[in-house]
Amino acid sequence: MFRFFTKSISRMVMASFVFVLLLPLGFIIANLNQLSWDSTHNEMQEKHLLLAKSLEDPVKMYFSSHQKTLGIFANWTGFSTKSAPEVKQLMGQYANSLSNIVAISYLPADEGSPIINVSDEYKIKTSGDIVEFEYHPEERKYRKYDTKNSISSVIRSTVSNKPIVLIKHHIIDFDSNKKGTVFIELGLKPIQDICSKIKLGEKGHCTIVDQLGQVVAHPNKEYVKDIISLSSTGILNQLKNNNSGLFNFNSPYFGEEEVSGFSKVSGMGWGILVAQPKSELKSPYKTVISTVTTWLAVGIIVSLLLASILAFQITKPLNTLVTKSKEIGTRSDTYNLGSMPKNSPFEISELWSALSALVNRLHKSNREVRKLNYSLNKDIEKATAKLRATNKYLYEISSNDHLTNIANRRYFENTVNKILKSGKSGKVGIIQIDVDKFKYINDEYGHEAGDLALVHIASMMKKRTRDKDIPARLGGDEFVVYINNCSDKVLLSIAESLRKMVEDTPINWQGNEIKLSLSMGIVNCDLAKKRSLDQLLKFADEAMYDSKKAGRNHVSVYTFPEEPVKKLPSNKTLNEKGSDQKHTENNIVLAKEIEGLLKELPHAEANVLKKMVANAKKRNSAEEPA
């Protein structure tokens, strides 16, 4: 690919034109499909949702009007005071005065025989007199809800065998006693007619389902006739969680994905869907994309032709200049590029003139340049050596403590903060160190003896730490060590060995043996807990003060309050008193674990832990309930 660009400037110019032209077109073509679909998809979904919401009121009004009419009829006709023939006559008048009522029945409160009447439409289709029939099983289900007038889900009529809904209404007297219940079987044809008027494209349609997901209205009449359930499409979850919205589902009728807006009929739990196959939504914008792509192809071809002409005009004088430039190395100092080609662009004219002037001075300048380069190289070598030495010195004085020659506070904080923010896994250990009775050493032997003690302690810290650890002096007689990624046990071992080494190696000052000891506090924390350096230093400092309280020359471990009681032993943990039984049990477990560690630790550490175990057992025996 790169060799292609190095062949000639013409190719470079042509490639530039093609790249500049095709790159934005590539983005346009790549995004045109998605942008067109998003625009069409959003527009159609909003239309589907609007249509679904617009059908909510008619559907709800259809049922609510029949509920209200039934309530007026049942409450004001005095069913409870009339004989069975009178009740049947009244129900017949009611059933025939309103359309879409298939049958009406009255069930007395005393569980007597139901009184039933069927509308004239079905009397005509039957032979002989209508005989009493046992009401469908839905009636028993609705008896359970005696305090509520309700509408059933879609069921099959006992008279017409068509899908209907069962509406009931209780008859209550003035003393709030139920006298009976009136049931009507209500046909669904008006609902189906309303839904059938929704047409979107060739396959866009309206679907209405009841609270169980059963089909009430659908373009497939067999779905309506067989009361097919559409719960598998996910509509029930949508109605359960939202009053309206948009969702996509795989249509069992069309066998493809449909885009649907839905609305929930309040008070009923029914759902109205206005859906359209996704393939229909894509067809309009596919035509637009095809047209746009065709014109883009034509535009690219024309642009490439123009690019070739422009490339020739640009590269012709450049090629001449290249040929002339090749002759510079073989001509004398008075060589001239000659006259510039006609019709050259302005920039090339300027370049030709500048290059001609440059050529005239080129040979003359070469000798001077070689001489200057030699002198300059010598100066650079000297300056570089001096700069490296200065940088090394500056780095050492900026990162090391001038007295002890270990890291200073600034270097320690900068380095450890970077480690804490690196996002790596592992642990960070901090050992906080304070020299015991350091003021006494200064007062008794002088500050030079104190300085010798600090240097001695710093050298011990270097010996007892690893390459990746960072021993540092915070100031005065305070030291700190960063321990890189070790277990709690190893961290305690490092601190204890350092304490022991300092204790066993006194310094000699003017014939006087000065014994030294350290009070130390340690903390070990997972990097994943995102603790700051200030927090870790504070925790280690608290543990160090515990060592001071314990009589100095001691190592204490900081225990995080939020962590379980099963941790490394520390004076702070073992000296704290629990107030409940759970704390006592945790101390017992901890004491047993510490006893297991005694065999693995050196003699000095074992003595410390034995004292801690003894204290824990003593406290546990005092806390155990009688």
mmCIF file of all heavy atoms in Angstrom, residues 448-491:
data_model
loop_
_atom_site.group_PDB
_atom_site.id
_atom_site.type_symbol
_atom_site.label_atom_id
_atom_site.label_comp_id
_atom_site.label_asym_id
_atom_site.label_seq_id
_atom_site.Cartn_x
_atom_site.Cartn_y
_atom_site.Cartn_z
ATOM 1 N N GLU A 448 24.209 14.676 67.245
ATOM 2 C CA GLU A 448 25.007 13.853 66.343
ATOM 3 C C GLU A 448 24.768 12.365 66.634
ATOM 4 O O GLU A 448 24.716 11.542 65.713
ATOM 5 C CB GLU A 448 26.489 14.192 66.505
ATOM 6 C CG GLU A 448 26.841 15.578 65.986
ATOM 7 C CD GLU A 448 28.335 15.867 66.099
ATOM 8 O OE1 GLU A 448 29.058 15.008 66.662
ATOM 9 O OE2 GLU A 448 28.765 16.917 65.601
ATOM 10 N N ALA A 449 24.644 12.036 67.923
ATOM 11 C CA ALA A 449 24.310 10.650 68.272
ATOM 12 C C ALA A 449 22.923 10.283 67.745
ATOM 13 O O ALA A 449 22.690 9.167 67.255
ATOM 14 C CB ALA A 449 24.379 10.462 69.789
ATOM 15 N N GLY A 450 21.967 11.248 67.843
ATOM 16 C CA GLY A 450 20.629 10.994 67.308
ATOM 17 C C GLY A 450 20.658 10.763 65.809
ATOM 18 O O GLY A 450 19.976 9.873 65.280
ATOM 19 N N ASP A 451 21.501 11.563 65.095
ATOM 20 C CA ASP A 451 21.613 11.372 63.641
ATOM 21 C C ASP A 451 22.195 10.005 63.319
ATOM 22 O O ASP A 451 21.762 9.323 62.371
ATOM 23 C CB ASP A 451 22.486 12.465 63.032
ATOM 24 C CG ASP A 451 21.811 13.832 63.077
ATOM 25 O OD1 ASP A 451 20.585 13.860 63.310
ATOM 26 O OD2 ASP A 451 22.496 14.848 62.870
ATOM 27 N N LEU A 452 23.187 9.578 64.108
ATOM 28 C CA LEU A 452 23.775 8.259 63.886
ATOM 29 C C LEU A 452 22.731 7.159 64.085
ATOM 30 O O LEU A 452 22.686 6.177 63.334
ATOM 31 C CB LEU A 452 24.952 8.056 64.840
ATOM 32 C CG LEU A 452 25.647 6.674 64.761
ATOM 33 C CD1 LEU A 452 26.243 6.460 63.376
ATOM 34 C CD2 LEU A 452 26.723 6.554 65.849
ATOM 35 N N ALA A 453 21.855 7.345 65.105
ATOM 36 C CA ALA A 453 20.807 6.359 65.352
ATOM 37 C C ALA A 453 19.843 6.274 64.163
ATOM 38 O O ALA A 453 19.434 5.196 63.743
ATOM 39 C CB ALA A 453 20.042 6.722 66.627
ATOM 40 N N LEU A 454 19.487 7.437 63.604
ATOM 41 C CA LEU A 454 18.564 7.445 62.463
ATOM 42 C C LEU A 454 19.185 6.757 61.252
ATOM 43 O O LEU A 454 18.529 5.998 60.531
ATOM 44 C CB LEU A 454 18.175 8.884 62.110
ATOM 45 C CG LEU A 454 17.392 9.649 63.174
ATOM 46 C CD1 LEU A 454 17.122 11.078 62.709
ATOM 47 C CD2 LEU A 454 16.074 8.953 63.487
ATOM 48 N N VAL A 455 20.492 7.044 61.006
ATOM 49 C CA VAL A 455 21.182 6.400 59.877
ATOM 50 C C VAL A 455 21.247 4.890 60.089
ATOM 51 O O VAL A 455 21.049 4.104 59.145
ATOM 52 C CB VAL A 455 22.596 6.999 59.715
ATOM 53 C CG1 VAL A 455 23.397 6.215 58.681
ATOM 54 C CG2 VAL A 455 22.508 8.466 59.321
ATOM 55 N N HIS A 456 21.506 4.475 61.321
ATOM 56 C CA HIS A 456 21.584 3.050 61.634
ATOM 57 C C HIS A 456 20.240 2.356 61.387
ATOM 58 O O HIS A 456 20.183 1.282 60.776
ATOM 59 C CB HIS A 456 22.014 2.883 63.098
ATOM 60 C CG HIS A 456 22.033 1.452 63.549
ATOM 61 N ND1 HIS A 456 22.984 0.542 63.129
ATOM 62 C CD2 HIS A 456 21.183 0.773 64.387
ATOM 63 C CE1 HIS A 456 22.721 -0.632 63.671
ATOM 64 N NE2 HIS A 456 21.648 -0.519 64.454
ATOM 65 N N ILE A 457 19.175 2.979 61.863
ATOM 66 C CA ILE A 457 17.832 2.393 61.676
ATOM 67 C C ILE A 457 17.486 2.313 60.189
ATOM 68 O O ILE A 457 16.925 1.325 59.700
ATOM 69 C CB ILE A 457 16.786 3.217 62.441
ATOM 70 C CG1 ILE A 457 17.010 3.054 63.954
ATOM 71 C CG2 ILE A 457 15.378 2.798 62.069
ATOM 72 C CD1 ILE A 457 16.192 3.998 64.793
ATOM 73 N N ALA A 458 17.842 3.353 59.419
ATOM 74 C CA ALA A 458 17.559 3.348 57.978
ATOM 75 C C ALA A 458 18.286 2.204 57.286
ATOM 76 O O ALA A 458 17.743 1.548 56.389
ATOM 77 C CB ALA A 458 17.957 4.683 57.370
ATOM 78 N N SER A 459 19.542 1.940 57.719
ATOM 79 C CA SER A 459 20.290 0.834 57.107
ATOM 80 C C SER A 459 19.650 -0.503 57.440
ATOM 81 O O SER A 459 19.618 -1.415 56.607
ATOM 82 C CB SER A 459 21.747 0.868 57.586
ATOM 83 O OG SER A 459 21.826 0.599 58.988
ATOM 84 N N MET A 460 19.124 -0.667 58.675
ATOM 85 C CA MET A 460 18.410 -1.893 59.040
ATOM 86 C C MET A 460 17.139 -2.062 58.201
ATOM 87 O O MET A 460 16.771 -3.171 57.807
ATOM 88 C CB MET A 460 18.029 -1.855 60.534
ATOM 89 C CG MET A 460 19.201 -1.797 61.509
ATOM 90 S SD MET A 460 20.276 -3.251 61.458
ATOM 91 C CE MET A 460 21.649 -2.593 60.485
ATOM 92 N N MET A 461 16.455 -0.947 57.927
ATOM 93 C CA MET A 461 15.232 -1.001 57.111
ATOM 94 C C MET A 461 15.543 -1.488 55.698
ATOM 95 O O MET A 461 14.792 -2.257 55.106
ATOM 96 C CB MET A 461 14.571 0.389 57.059
ATOM 97 C CG MET A 461 13.989 0.843 58.393
ATOM 98 S SD MET A 461 13.478 2.583 58.386
ATOM 99 C CE MET A 461 12.183 2.548 57.173
ATOM 100 N N LYS A 462 16.683 -1.035 55.140
ATOM 101 C CA LYS A 462 17.065 -1.488 53.800
ATOM 102 C C LYS A 462 17.348 -2.993 53.795
ATOM 103 O O LYS A 462 17.002 -3.700 52.850
ATOM 104 C CB LYS A 462 18.317 -0.744 53.334
ATOM 105 C CG LYS A 462 18.081 0.708 52.962
ATOM 106 C CD LYS A 462 19.382 1.339 52.474
ATOM 107 C CE LYS A 462 19.193 2.775 52.061
ATOM 108 N NZ LYS A 462 20.460 3.391 51.587
ATOM 109 N N LYS A 463 17.995 -3.477 54.862
ATOM 110 C CA LYS A 463 18.347 -4.896 54.915
ATOM 111 C C LYS A 463 17.119 -5.787 55.053
ATOM 112 O O LYS A 463 17.121 -6.922 54.573
ATOM 113 C CB LYS A 463 19.294 -5.152 56.099
ATOM 114 C CG LYS A 463 20.677 -4.540 55.916
ATOM 115 C CD LYS A 463 21.543 -4.815 57.133
ATOM 116 C CE LYS A 463 22.932 -4.182 56.973
ATOM 117 N NZ LYS A 463 23.788 -4.420 58.161
ATOM 118 N N ARG A 464 16.084 -5.310 55.737
ATOM 119 C CA ARG A 464 14.913 -6.142 56.022
ATOM 120 C C ARG A 464 13.758 -5.945 55.020
ATOM 121 O O ARG A 464 12.664 -6.427 55.241
ATOM 122 C CB ARG A 464 14.411 -5.845 57.441
ATOM 123 C CG ARG A 464 15.263 -6.487 58.518
ATOM 124 C CD ARG A 464 15.213 -7.990 58.402
ATOM 125 N NE ARG A 464 16.062 -8.649 59.389
ATOM 126 C CZ ARG A 464 16.947 -9.564 59.111
ATOM 127 N NH1 ARG A 464 17.158 -9.900 57.852
ATOM 128 N NH2 ARG A 464 17.651 -10.153 60.069
ATOM 129 N N THR A 465 13.996 -5.216 53.947
ATOM 130 C CA THR A 465 12.948 -5.024 52.941
ATOM 131 C C THR A 465 13.432 -5.519 51.590
ATOM 132 O O THR A 465 14.636 -5.697 51.375
ATOM 133 C CB THR A 465 12.544 -3.542 52.832
ATOM 134 O OG1 THR A 465 13.702 -2.751 52.595
ATOM 135 C CG2 THR A 465 11.855 -3.073 54.097
ATOM 136 N N ARG A 466 12.485 -5.711 50.679
ATOM 137 C CA ARG A 466 12.786 -6.235 49.349
ATOM 138 C C ARG A 466 12.961 -5.085 48.354
ATOM 139 O O ARG A 466 12.727 -3.922 48.669
ATOM 140 C CB ARG A 466 11.650 -7.157 48.898
ATOM 141 C CG ARG A 466 11.360 -8.299 49.891
ATOM 142 C CD ARG A 466 10.013 -8.918 49.619
ATOM 143 N NE ARG A 466 8.937 -7.949 49.750
ATOM 144 C CZ ARG A 466 7.648 -8.227 49.511
ATOM 145 N NH1 ARG A 466 7.300 -9.435 49.127
ATOM 146 N NH2 ARG A 466 6.743 -7.291 49.645
ATOM 147 N N ASP A 467 13.329 -5.448 47.105
ATOM 148 C CA ASP A 467 13.576 -4.421 46.092
ATOM 149 C C ASP A 467 12.319 -3.608 45.788
ATOM 150 O O ASP A 467 12.396 -2.402 45.540
ATOM 151 C CB ASP A 467 14.094 -5.072 44.805
ATOM 152 C CG ASP A 467 15.488 -5.649 44.985
ATOM 153 O OD1 ASP A 467 16.170 -5.227 45.938
ATOM 154 O OD2 ASP A 467 15.873 -6.528 44.184
ATOM 155 N N LYS A 468 11.172 -4.266 45.800
ATOM 156 C CA LYS A 468 9.928 -3.562 45.459
ATOM 157 C C LYS A 468 9.345 -2.800 46.647
ATOM 158 O O LYS A 468 8.379 -2.060 46.489
ATOM 159 C CB LYS A 468 8.883 -4.556 44.930
ATOM 160 C CG LYS A 468 9.248 -5.146 43.574
ATOM 161 C CD LYS A 468 8.127 -6.024 43.050
ATOM 162 C CE LYS A 468 8.472 -6.580 41.678
ATOM 163 N NZ LYS A 468 7.385 -7.431 41.139
ATOM 164 N N ASP A 469 9.869 -3.006 47.841
ATOM 165 C CA ASP A 469 9.396 -2.271 49.013
ATOM 166 C C ASP A 469 10.064 -0.893 49.038
ATOM 167 O O ASP A 469 11.119 -0.677 48.423
ATOM 168 C CB ASP A 469 9.725 -3.038 50.290
ATOM 169 C CG ASP A 469 9.100 -4.427 50.300
ATOM 170 O OD1 ASP A 469 8.076 -4.588 49.609
ATOM 171 O OD2 ASP A 469 9.643 -5.314 50.965
ATOM 172 N N ILE A 470 9.441 0.048 49.758
ATOM 173 C CA ILE A 470 9.955 1.421 49.805
ATOM 174 C C ILE A 470 10.104 1.859 51.259
ATOM 175 O O ILE A 470 9.121 2.258 51.903
ATOM 176 C CB ILE A 470 9.020 2.393 49.058
ATOM 177 C CG1 ILE A 470 8.791 1.931 47.632
ATOM 178 C CG2 ILE A 470 9.606 3.810 49.069
ATOM 179 C CD1 ILE A 470 7.763 2.769 46.889
ATOM 180 N N PRO A 471 11.318 1.790 51.824
ATOM 181 C CA PRO A 471 11.527 2.379 53.151
ATOM 182 C C PRO A 471 11.745 3.887 53.001
ATOM 183 O O PRO A 471 12.409 4.348 52.074
ATOM 184 C CB PRO A 471 12.800 1.673 53.646
ATOM 185 C CG PRO A 471 13.525 1.288 52.390
ATOM 186 C CD PRO A 471 12.492 1.046 51.334
ATOM 187 N N ALA A 472 11.163 4.684 53.889
ATOM 188 C CA ALA A 472 11.257 6.135 53.759
ATOM 189 C C ALA A 472 11.253 6.769 55.143
ATOM 190 O O ALA A 472 10.772 6.196 56.130
ATOM 191 C CB ALA A 472 10.096 6.680 52.934
ATOM 192 N N ARG A 473 11.818 8.005 55.177
ATOM 193 C CA ARG A 473 11.791 8.786 56.411
ATOM 194 C C ARG A 473 10.761 9.886 56.244
ATOM 195 O O ARG A 473 10.808 10.681 55.299
ATOM 196 C CB ARG A 473 13.168 9.399 56.674
ATOM 197 C CG ARG A 473 13.225 10.206 57.968
ATOM 198 C CD ARG A 473 14.551 10.931 58.101
ATOM 199 N NE ARG A 473 14.588 11.752 59.302
ATOM 200 C CZ ARG A 473 15.503 12.695 59.529
ATOM 201 N NH1 ARG A 473 16.472 12.911 58.621
ATOM 202 N NH2 ARG A 473 15.478 13.406 60.641
ATOM 203 N N LEU A 474 9.759 9.913 57.166
ATOM 204 C CA LEU A 474 8.717 10.935 57.103
ATOM 205 C C LEU A 474 9.206 12.260 57.676
ATOM 206 O O LEU A 474 8.749 13.326 57.278
ATOM 207 C CB LEU A 474 7.470 10.463 57.862
ATOM 208 C CG LEU A 474 6.737 9.256 57.260
ATOM 209 C CD1 LEU A 474 5.527 8.907 58.102
ATOM 210 C CD2 LEU A 474 6.311 9.539 55.830
ATOM 211 N N GLY A 475 10.124 12.200 58.616
ATOM 212 C CA GLY A 475 10.621 13.412 59.264
ATOM 213 C C GLY A 475 10.938 13.127 60.715
ATOM 214 O O GLY A 475 10.257 12.314 61.365
ATOM 215 N N GLY A 476 11.966 13.807 61.247
ATOM 216 C CA GLY A 476 12.319 13.588 62.643
ATOM 217 C C GLY A 476 12.703 12.137 62.865
ATOM 218 O O GLY A 476 13.517 11.555 62.139
ATOM 219 N N ASP A 477 12.089 11.502 63.889
ATOM 220 C CA ASP A 477 12.368 10.102 64.169
ATOM 221 C C ASP A 477 11.260 9.185 63.668
ATOM 222 O O ASP A 477 11.100 8.067 64.154
ATOM 223 C CB ASP A 477 12.562 9.910 65.686
ATOM 224 C CG ASP A 477 11.302 10.270 66.461
ATOM 225 O OD1 ASP A 477 10.532 11.134 65.983
ATOM 226 O OD2 ASP A 477 11.074 9.689 67.548
ATOM 227 N N GLU A 478 10.461 9.648 62.708
ATOM 228 C CA GLU A 478 9.354 8.856 62.165
ATOM 229 C C GLU A 478 9.752 8.272 60.812
ATOM 230 O O GLU A 478 10.204 8.997 59.917
ATOM 231 C CB GLU A 478 8.093 9.711 62.001
ATOM 232 C CG GLU A 478 7.495 10.149 63.314
ATOM 233 C CD GLU A 478 6.188 10.896 63.102
ATOM 234 O OE1 GLU A 478 5.811 11.091 61.932
ATOM 235 O OE2 GLU A 478 5.564 11.266 64.106
ATOM 236 N N PHE A 479 9.579 6.961 60.676
ATOM 237 C CA PHE A 479 9.869 6.253 59.443
ATOM 238 C C PHE A 479 8.604 5.534 58.978
ATOM 239 O O PHE A 479 7.676 5.297 59.761
ATOM 240 C CB PHE A 479 10.993 5.224 59.642
ATOM 241 C CG PHE A 479 12.324 5.841 59.971
ATOM 242 C CD1 PHE A 479 12.679 6.113 61.303
ATOM 243 C CD2 PHE A 479 13.223 6.155 58.959
ATOM 244 C CE1 PHE A 479 13.897 6.662 61.607
ATOM 245 C CE2 PHE A 479 14.450 6.717 59.258
ATOM 246 C CZ PHE A 479 14.792 6.984 60.576
ATOM 247 N N VAL A 480 8.601 5.125 57.715
ATOM 248 C CA VAL A 480 7.494 4.363 57.177
ATOM 249 C C VAL A 480 8.045 3.437 56.089
ATOM 250 O O VAL A 480 9.051 3.758 55.440
ATOM 251 C CB VAL A 480 6.397 5.294 56.582
ATOM 252 C CG1 VAL A 480 6.900 6.030 55.362
ATOM 253 C CG2 VAL A 480 5.140 4.495 56.232
ATOM 254 N N VAL A 481 7.386 2.290 55.920
ATOM 255 C CA VAL A 481 7.794 1.340 54.885
ATOM 256 C C VAL A 481 6.549 0.916 54.110
ATOM 257 O O VAL A 481 5.539 0.533 54.727
ATOM 258 C CB VAL A 481 8.477 0.087 55.484
ATOM 259 C CG1 VAL A 481 8.971 -0.823 54.344
ATOM 260 C CG2 VAL A 481 9.637 0.483 56.372
ATOM 261 N N TYR A 482 6.637 1.001 52.780
ATOM 262 C CA TYR A 482 5.599 0.403 51.918
ATOM 263 C C TYR A 482 6.035 -1.012 51.578
ATOM 264 O O TYR A 482 7.142 -1.236 51.094
ATOM 265 C CB TYR A 482 5.413 1.219 50.636
ATOM 266 C CG TYR A 482 4.755 0.432 49.531
ATOM 267 C CD1 TYR A 482 3.398 0.171 49.551
ATOM 268 C CD2 TYR A 482 5.501 -0.073 48.459
ATOM 269 C CE1 TYR A 482 2.794 -0.560 48.554
ATOM 270 C CE2 TYR A 482 4.915 -0.801 47.457
ATOM 271 C CZ TYR A 482 3.562 -1.047 47.501
ATOM 272 O OH TYR A 482 2.957 -1.774 46.505
ATOM 273 N N ILE A 483 5.173 -1.995 51.863
ATOM 274 C CA ILE A 483 5.465 -3.401 51.575
ATOM 275 C C ILE A 483 4.581 -3.833 50.406
ATOM 276 O O ILE A 483 3.351 -3.762 50.483
ATOM 277 C CB ILE A 483 5.201 -4.294 52.810
ATOM 278 C CG1 ILE A 483 6.067 -3.814 53.987
ATOM 279 C CG2 ILE A 483 5.496 -5.742 52.470
ATOM 280 C CD1 ILE A 483 7.555 -3.912 53.747
ATOM 281 N N ASN A 484 5.196 -4.291 49.354
ATOM 282 C CA ASN A 484 4.485 -4.606 48.114
ATOM 283 C C ASN A 484 3.883 -6.016 48.147
ATOM 284 O O ASN A 484 4.595 -7.004 48.244
ATOM 285 C CB ASN A 484 5.451 -4.492 46.925
ATOM 286 C CG ASN A 484 4.749 -4.810 45.620
ATOM 287 O OD1 ASN A 484 3.881 -4.079 45.173
ATOM 288 N ND2 ASN A 484 5.128 -5.921 45.008
ATOM 289 N N ASN A 485 2.561 -6.082 48.131
ATOM 290 C CA ASN A 485 1.788 -7.304 47.836
ATOM 291 C C ASN A 485 2.290 -8.535 48.592
ATOM 292 O O ASN A 485 2.877 -9.449 48.015
ATOM 293 C CB ASN A 485 1.811 -7.589 46.330
ATOM 294 C CG ASN A 485 0.765 -8.621 45.951
ATOM 295 O OD1 ASN A 485 -0.228 -8.785 46.645
ATOM 296 N ND2 ASN A 485 0.980 -9.317 44.855
ATOM 297 N N CYS A 486 2.051 -8.540 49.900
ATOM 298 C CA CYS A 486 2.408 -9.723 50.680
ATOM 299 C C CYS A 486 1.235 -10.070 51.594
ATOM 300 O O CYS A 486 0.344 -9.265 51.828
ATOM 301 C CB CYS A 486 3.686 -9.491 51.485
ATOM 302 S SG CYS A 486 3.471 -8.337 52.858
ATOM 303 N N SER A 487 1.248 -11.266 52.128
ATOM 304 C CA SER A 487 0.189 -11.705 53.027
ATOM 305 C C SER A 487 0.328 -11.012 54.382
ATOM 306 O O SER A 487 1.365 -10.424 54.710
ATOM 307 C CB SER A 487 0.250 -13.221 53.200
ATOM 308 O OG SER A 487 1.445 -13.584 53.851
ATOM 309 N N ASP A 488 -0.728 -11.110 55.168
ATOM 310 C CA ASP A 488 -0.710 -10.516 56.499
ATOM 311 C C ASP A 488 0.407 -11.148 57.355
ATOM 312 O O ASP A 488 1.095 -10.453 58.117
ATOM 313 C CB ASP A 488 -2.059 -10.732 57.186
ATOM 314 C CG ASP A 488 -3.178 -10.020 56.449
ATOM 315 O OD1 ASP A 488 -2.867 -9.180 55.593
ATOM 316 O OD2 ASP A 488 -4.351 -10.312 56.733
ATOM 317 N N LYS A 489 0.600 -12.423 57.173
ATOM 318 C CA LYS A 489 1.602 -13.135 57.972
ATOM 319 C C LYS A 489 3.011 -12.662 57.616
ATOM 320 O O LYS A 489 3.856 -12.421 58.505
ATOM 321 C CB LYS A 489 1.465 -14.630 57.719
ATOM 322 C CG LYS A 489 2.441 -15.488 58.500
ATOM 323 C CD LYS A 489 2.208 -16.955 58.198
ATOM 324 C CE LYS A 489 3.241 -17.839 58.900
ATOM 325 N NZ LYS A 489 3.033 -19.277 58.593
ATOM 326 N N VAL A 490 3.290 -12.518 56.312
ATOM 327 C CA VAL A 490 4.620 -12.071 55.880
ATOM 328 C C VAL A 490 4.871 -10.639 56.343
ATOM 329 O O VAL A 490 5.968 -10.283 56.774
ATOM 330 C CB VAL A 490 4.737 -12.185 54.344
ATOM 331 C CG1 VAL A 490 6.032 -11.532 53.849
ATOM 332 C CG2 VAL A 490 4.692 -13.648 53.929
ATOM 333 N N LEU A 491 3.837 -9.780 56.239
ATOM 334 C CA LEU A 491 3.988 -8.393 56.671
ATOM 335 C C LEU A 491 4.354 -8.321 58.152
ATOM 336 O O LEU A 491 5.248 -7.571 58.558
ATOM 337 C CB LEU A 491 2.691 -7.631 56.391
ATOM 338 C CG LEU A 491 2.674 -6.162 56.828
ATOM 339 C CD1 LEU A 491 3.765 -5.371 56.116
ATOM 340 C CD2 LEU A 491 1.299 -5.542 56.557
#
